[in-house]
Amino acid sequence: MDYSDIPFKPYERLKKADKAPAYHSDFLEHFQGNFPLFVNLYEEGFELREHNHAYIEIVYVLSGEGFHYIGTGVEKTSKGSLYILPVGTSHLFRPSSPANPNKLLVYNLCIRPEFIDELASWIGYYGDAEAVSIFKGRLNTHLSLMDQKMELAHLFELLHREYTAKLSGFEAGLFSGVLQMSVQIHRMLTKAQHTEASFHSHSSGRTELLRILKEIDIRFTEPLTVESLAAEAGMSKRNFIRLFRTITGMSFSEYLQHRRVELACQLLRNSDHTISSISRIIGYRDAAHFREVFRKVMGSNPRDYRINTEN
């Protein structure tokens, strides 16, 4: 099945940004020898930098909420969100607030790329190995899915338990769990494809809003307003606000803040611009307001962020 035409953008090609390379995570950081799988349960915070991997990563949000930066985009994430990230796709999670008691906990299932062909041979032994296509995304793409009923949670729990306990036969337990998960994700995506396609056919303003969203990703340092963008999309302000939250999972102001802070982080890491200068570059005239927004999103002030991320 070709997922490239699904409206909710499972393999969306992300725009290239002019920025320094993300941190690259190699096999030696997590994998034990040549064993093809790594599983952990991790609490996302504010210490990690944007990174990519030499391996395929499946991320499943077990609890909490926050934001997921993927390539040059940002989207709201919460319990039940699943992402499949091909080799080389950069990303970063951030909790919604450093003071939020509902921790952003995620399962990570990491797979060596060479294991996918073996996985395909097992799945296709008695039939079609189509389910393995979910792991064959291109560089700078990603696959996403919302598991509203948390149907996948028990599979990730099983994989994590097998991996950490390492009881006799844990390898077979892990392999069978990955097989079952691959088929389940493929089924859920197929179902979501039909549901989203039906919704898309009844939403005349959705296509235009997606175009506007791409414009925002280019012009986010400009003084944009909901009123002007709604007029550009040919819809009422109220309808624009409703559809914007449906597509992105956040309000227009939240989205704008996160796009600007993402650029600010790049400038803090990779330039000698002063904090006041960065504030103006990303679209804030008031440096104090910029500091307030930055602390809200990143959990620290710009000065501390620059110090802590110096190489």
Side-chain angles (χ1 to χ4, degrees), residues 23-80:
Y23 173 76
H24 183 68
S25 178
D26 210 341
F27 297 111
L28 294 177
E29 289 190 41
H30 303 301
F31 290 84
Q32 298 183 4
N34 291 322
F35 191 69
L37 304 175
F38 169 78
V39 188
N40 76 344
L41 179 62
Y42 184 75
E43 180 185 344
E44 296 288 353
F46 295 89
E47 67 282 356
L48 291 183
R49 294 174 54 181
E50 180 184 357
H51 55 279
N52 59 51
H53 319 92
Y55 43 85
I56 298 163
E57 182 179 31
I58 305 178
V59 185
Y60 185 78
V61 181
L62 181 64
S63 67
E65 59 182 21
F67 299 91
H68 192 195
Y69 298 85
I70 312 177
T72 61
V74 57
E75 59 187 60
K76 201 158 190 176
T77 190
S78 59
K79 182 173 68 173

Side-chain angles (χ1 to χ4, degrees), residues 143-303:
L143 181 65
S144 62
L145 176 71
M146 173 52 72
D147 179 18
Q148 297 280 6
K149 298 180 180 180
M150 300 294 288
E151 297 176 38
L152 297 170
H154 76 283
L155 288 175
F156 279 96
E157 181 185 356
L158 172 65
L159 289 173
H160 184 249
R161 187 167 62 246
E162 288 282 3
Y163 189 85
T164 54
K166 289 184 171 58
L167 300 177
S168 175
F170 79 95
E171 300 93 342
L174 284 168
F175 295 156
S176 65
V178 173
L179 284 169
Q180 185 178 354
M181 179 179 292
S182 302
V183 173
Q184 182 68 5
I185 292 174
H186 182 262
R187 289 173 177 172
M188 293 172 73
L189 283 167
T190 302
K191 181 179 179 181
Q193 177 187 10
H194 297 310
T195 301
E196 185 68 13
S198 176
F199 174 75
H200 180 72
S201 66
H202 292 87
S203 301
S204 59
R206 186 178 177 87
T207 300
E208 187 60 23
L209 189 56
L210 288 172
R211 185 188 68 78
I212 295 296
L213 192 59
K214 292 179 180 179
E215 284 293 316
I216 294 172
D217 286 339
I218 297 172
R219 299 164 47 199
F220 62 86
T221 60
E222 300 175 15
L224 301 174
T225 65
V226 170
E227 290 79 7
S228 63
L229 292 171
E232 195 173 333
M235 63 182 71
S236 68
K237 177 181 175 181
R238 180 178 180 181
N239 197 33
F240 179 92
I241 292 172
R242 179 182 63 81
L243 281 177
F244 192 94
R245 183 174 288 278
T246 298
I247 291 173
T248 66
M250 64 185 87
S251 69
F252 168 72
S253 61
E254 285 178 316
Y255 188 87
L256 200 61
Q257 285 177 355
H258 281 78
R259 294 296 288 113
R260 288 176 171 179
V261 168
E262 181 189 17
L263 176 57
C265 288
Q266 296 170 23
L267 294 171
L268 287 166
R269 293 195 307 266
N270 306 313
S271 78
D272 295 325
H273 288 298
T274 65
I275 291 173
S276 295
S277 177
I278 291 174
S279 174
R280 292 192 296 273
I281 290 171
I282 67 172
Y284 292 113
R285 296 181 180 178
D286 184 355
H289 179 57
F290 162 62
R291 291 187 182 93
E292 180 183 343
V293 171
F294 192 94
R295 179 181 288 277
K296 175 184 175 183
V297 174
M298 300 301 295
S300 67
N301 62 50
R303 179 179 176 274

Side-chain angles (χ1 to χ4, degrees), residues 92-160:
L92 175 67
F93 281 95
R94 287 286 185 247
S96 57
S97 167
N100 193 335
N102 192 7
K103 298 178 180 178
L104 184 59
L105 294 176
V106 302
Y107 280 115
N108 297 291
L109 168 61
C110 304
I111 305 174
R112 284 180 174 269
E114 61 268 23
F115 182 65
I116 299 304
D117 288 339
E118 188 169 352
L119 190 64
S121 67
W122 294 342
I123 294 179
Y125 188 79
Y126 283 109
D128 192 354
E130 189 178 353
V132 182
S133 63
I134 65 175
F135 299 118
K136 296 186 176 180
R138 301 176 301 276
L139 174 66
N140 292 329
T141 68
H142 74 284
L143 181 65
S144 62
L145 176 71
M146 173 52 72
D147 179 18
Q148 297 280 6
K149 298 180 180 180
M150 300 294 288
E151 297 176 38
L152 297 170
H154 76 283
L155 288 175
F156 279 96
E157 181 185 356
L158 172 65
L159 289 173
H160 184 249

